Amino acid sequence: MSPNAPKTPARQIRIGDTWYDFDAAARAMGTERAAVIRELIDWYIREPGAKLPARPDRDVVEAARTKRVEGEA
């Protein structure tokens, strides 16, 4: 058995460059993008007990974006 055998299949969506800012923001909150997305989906479909995930301060996102854009230059 593979050491990384997810229980659910991967899904593809197109988001754009903000995906990388989202990654930095999720990491700053001590989590990962997939976990945040799952929480949002549960909240959106009104799963019992589901709540919106906490968000990072805006300066975290701005710093991540600046770093990414400078790295692209």
Side-chain angles (χ1 to χ4, degrees):
M1 184 165 133
S2 169
N4 183 13
K7 296 179 182 178
T8 59
R11 306 285 192 247
Q12 281 189 322
I13 58 173
R14 294 177 194 246
I15 294 177
D17 287 342
T18 56
W19 184 245
Y20 306 111
D21 302 336
F22 179 43
D23 184 48
R27 288 175 188 230
M29 297 300 290
T31 189
E32 58 186 33
R33 291 177 293 205
V36 175
I37 291 168
R38 284 190 297 270
E39 288 179 45
L40 287 167
I41 290 170
D42 286 347
W43 169 82
Y44 192 83
I45 64 172
R46 298 178 182 269
E47 285 293 327
K51 296 181 181 176
L52 282 172
R55 297 189 302 173
D57 291 330
R58 182 68 186 162
D59 61 331
V60 171
V61 178
E62 290 295 334
R65 181 171 290 147
T66 299
K67 184 176 178 182
R68 176 177 52 80
V69 169
E70 288 175 352
E72 292 173 354

